[in-house]
Amino acid sequence: MPKDHSGPAREPDRRGMLRMAGGGLTLAVLTAGATGCREDDTADDGGSASPGNSTPPAKSEDGKAPEPLWTKTTSAQTFGDNDELVATRGRVIPSGAPLAALDAASGKKRWTLDGGAVPGAPLLLGNDTLYLASSEYDGTVGGYDPASGKRTWRSRLGKEYRQPRPIAVDDEQVYVIAEILEDDGSSHTNVIAALNSATGKVAWKEQRDEGTKQNGVHAAVQGRHLVYTDFKKNLTVRDTATGKQVWTQKTTGTNYGFFAVHEDLVIIPQKQQLQAFRISDGAEKWSLRAEDSSTFKEPAVLDDVLHVADSGGTLWAVDPRTGKKIWQSKALADAGAKVPRQYVTAGGTLFGATDLDEKGGVHAFDPKNGELRWTFNDHTGDHHAWLVATDGERVFALHGEKLHALPAKPTH
């Protein structure tokens, strides 16, 4: 139950290793028979806070990042996935144990769940609900009110399945992947299933191919199609009504499976190429090629513009419908700065979060031309990747256990 507390140089990619470690940690917890992680109530310790609306916006000089509105030490446990930090309904929630929701304006802790989030499993938002894999490892998936932390929905896939994890949600269904248990308690295959988001009943379930894993899956729902990738370099589309596979294909390299969807297209980086496929049948609609043997990183479509960086330090803005370049910026390469791997927009600014790097952190760009306005870095040297989320008024930057609230539109 929730506790209410109201009142461009190339480097080894540790993010992939961290994400793999997340899956390994989960298996270790299962083997030990644990029912949750130790509570470490630190969300109000070691940080500084400004009293929300009573404090004027932070000011930033040209080229200098604004001071945080508040900073808190949290119980965050992240592995470099983009769905380990969410902001909604006045709360910002980093994945961790215990799972703690902080007030977006002040940073004060509002509620906690003792068991916390399952390592490597996403914080999935949809239908004003936060969907979580059960930290009790009891075969259930729960839905929680993000504002209060109270459970509002629960579903059990079945006792013959272990560790169901939500991967995507639409207006009617929650999609999960779970291990299929053998008689001896082992598992060699897994199932993908749809759960009714009103009743919790199983709408359909389909066994995935042998050799696929439940970890490392990224998914999105677009219309009547469920699109997902996995560590085995598969790009797969299923019908959301029946679960039947529409098409699948191998990819050459997908940056740990990150992709973007827009209208009828799925857009995926494949080393030096960025390719767009029609979701309905897998036909290629357009492709872009990076320059100088650079490889494309993780893409995101925001405000009808596709944003993606390449390993050479170029930031691209692309029309996601046609693949035509809107602009290219060399500002990161010129500054010797790390390229982003996650993006949000707020306050007329494009924000990008990077992997670990002293030349990284959270970059702020002019969305019209990619000009680098400033970079925020807490200089802790923490080896975790940066994560960002926004509520429109603030940008939340998570780095290891440090959570910072930055003004979305600082005054000058």
Side-chain angles (χ1 to χ4, degrees), residues 252-281:
T252 58
T254 61
N255 296 289
Y256 301 102
F258 289 95
F259 63 90
V261 293
H262 183 72
E263 296 180 352
D264 63 338
L265 299 178
V266 52
I267 304 162
I268 190 163
Q270 303 205 70
K271 295 184 179 178
Q272 289 180 262
Q273 278 194 311
L274 187 67
Q275 292 179 282
F277 300 99
R278 193 162 54 204
I279 294 176
S280 60
D281 58 11

Side-chain angles (χ1 to χ4, degrees), residues 220-281:
V221 180
Q222 193 75 342
R224 59 173 293 177
H225 295 106
L226 173 65
V227 186
Y228 60 94
T229 56
D230 58 37
F231 272 148
K232 293 291 186 178
K233 298 181 180 179
N234 297 303
L235 172 61
T236 303
V237 175
R238 289 182 182 270
D239 188 303
T240 57
T242 65
K244 298 301 182 183
Q245 184 171 290
V246 180
W247 58 270
T248 187
Q249 68 177 45
K250 286 291 183 180
T251 60
T252 58
T254 61
N255 296 289
Y256 301 102
F258 289 95
F259 63 90
V261 293
H262 183 72
E263 296 180 352
D264 63 338
L265 299 178
V266 52
I267 304 162
I268 190 163
Q270 303 205 70
K271 295 184 179 178
Q272 289 180 262
Q273 278 194 311
L274 187 67
Q275 292 179 282
F277 300 99
R278 193 162 54 204
I279 294 176
S280 60
D281 58 11

Side-chain angles (χ1 to χ4, degrees), residues 275-351:
Q275 292 179 282
F277 300 99
R278 193 162 54 204
I279 294 176
S280 60
D281 58 11
E284 182 179 310
K285 300 304 293 181
W286 58 259
S287 67
L288 281 178
R289 189 170 184 85
E291 302 169 354
D292 302 325
S293 301
S294 296
T295 58
F296 282 108
K297 300 299 183 181
E298 297 87 336
V301 176
L302 301 168
D303 302 326
D304 288 330
V305 177
L306 173 68
H307 301 282
V308 65
D310 65 40
S311 60
T314 300
L315 183 63
W316 302 58
V318 177
D319 184 334
R321 301 170 188 83
T322 64
K324 292 183 179 180
K325 289 179 285 186
I326 300 172
W327 51 255
Q328 285 178 287
S329 172
K330 298 285 188 180
L332 290 171
D334 293 343
K338 192 80 171 182
V339 298
R341 43 162 294 274
Q342 184 191 16
Y343 305 86
V344 297
T345 57
T349 299
L350 171 67
F351 297 90

Side-chain angles (χ1 to χ4, degrees), residues 317-392:
V318 177
D319 184 334
R321 301 170 188 83
T322 64
K324 292 183 179 180
K325 289 179 285 186
I326 300 172
W327 51 255
Q328 285 178 287
S329 172
K330 298 285 188 180
L332 290 171
D334 293 343
K338 192 80 171 182
V339 298
R341 43 162 294 274
Q342 184 191 16
Y343 305 86
V344 297
T345 57
T349 299
L350 171 67
F351 297 90
T354 77
D355 279 333
L356 65 153
D357 194 273
E358 63 180 8
K359 292 287 189 177
V362 176
H363 299 310
F365 302 97
D366 186 329
K368 296 179 180 179
N369 55 22
E371 177 187 349
L372 180 61
R373 291 174 173 171
W374 47 260
T375 298
F376 175 81
N377 196 312
D378 57 13
H379 303 293
T380 63
D382 191 284
H383 65 276
H384 288 83
W386 287 83
L387 296 173
V388 287
T390 184
D391 62 359

Side-chain angles (χ1 to χ4, degrees), residues 13 84 106 109 140 255 345 383:
D13 190 346
E84 296 175 312
S106 67
K109 192 189 300 181
T140 65
N255 296 289
T345 57
H383 65 276

Side-chain angles (χ1 to χ4, degrees), residues 72-293:
K72 291 290 182 177
T73 300
T74 72
S75 57
Q77 295 176 335
T78 61
F79 300 92
D81 241 337
N82 291 350
D83 46 21
E84 296 175 312
L85 176 69
V86 296
T88 184
R89 297 182 62 187
R91 303 288 183 260
V92 54
I93 309 169
S95 181
L99 187 68
L102 307 185
D103 185 275
S106 67
K108 292 182 179 179
K109 192 189 300 181
R110 293 308 186 193
W111 56 261
T112 60
L113 289 175
D114 287 346
V118 172
L123 304 179
L124 186 62
L125 284 175
N127 305 317
D128 291 326
T129 301
L130 175 66
Y131 295 99
L132 301 172
S134 173
S135 61
E136 300 294 327
Y137 299 98
D138 57 2
T140 65
V141 176
Y144 299 83
D145 178 359
S148 67
K150 294 181 179 179
R151 191 171 69 191
T152 58
W153 180 87
R154 187 171 183 265
S155 179
R156 180 187 291 273
L157 185 59
K159 63 182 180 179
E160 66 269 34
Y161 305 102
R162 179 172 62 190
Q163 204 180 344
R165 296 184 176 202
I167 58 170
V169 60
D170 60 21
D171 292 340
E172 298 180 355
Q173 296 178 151
V174 181
Y175 303 90
V176 302
I177 287 181
E179 297 174 345
I180 301 174
L181 287 174
E182 305 293 340
D183 292 339
D184 60 0
S186 64
S187 178
H188 308 289
T189 54
N190 60 85
V191 66
I192 188 166
L195 310 174
N196 186 286
S197 58
T199 65
K201 293 182 178 180
V202 178
W204 53 258
K205 53 188 175 183
E206 293 285 331
Q207 183 172 328
R208 298 177 69 212
D209 293 341
E210 189 169 351
T212 58
K213 303 293 183 183
Q214 75 174 81
N215 297 326
V217 173
H218 295 98
V221 180
Q222 193 75 342
R224 59 173 293 177
H225 295 106
L226 173 65
V227 186
Y228 60 94
T229 56
D230 58 37
F231 272 148
K232 293 291 186 178
K233 298 181 180 179
N234 297 303
L235 172 61
T236 303
V237 175
R238 289 182 182 270
D239 188 303
T240 57
T242 65
K244 298 301 182 183
Q245 184 171 290
V246 180
W247 58 270
T248 187
Q249 68 177 45
K250 286 291 183 180
T251 60
T252 58
T254 61
N255 296 289
Y256 301 102
F258 289 95
F259 63 90
V261 293
H262 183 72
E263 296 180 352
D264 63 338
L265 299 178
V266 52
I267 304 162
I268 190 163
Q270 303 205 70
K271 295 184 179 178
Q272 289 180 262
Q273 278 194 311
L274 187 67
Q275 292 179 282
F277 300 99
R278 193 162 54 204
I279 294 176
S280 60
D281 58 11
E284 182 179 310
K285 300 304 293 181
W286 58 259
S287 67
L288 281 178
R289 189 170 184 85
E291 302 169 354
D292 302 325
S293 301

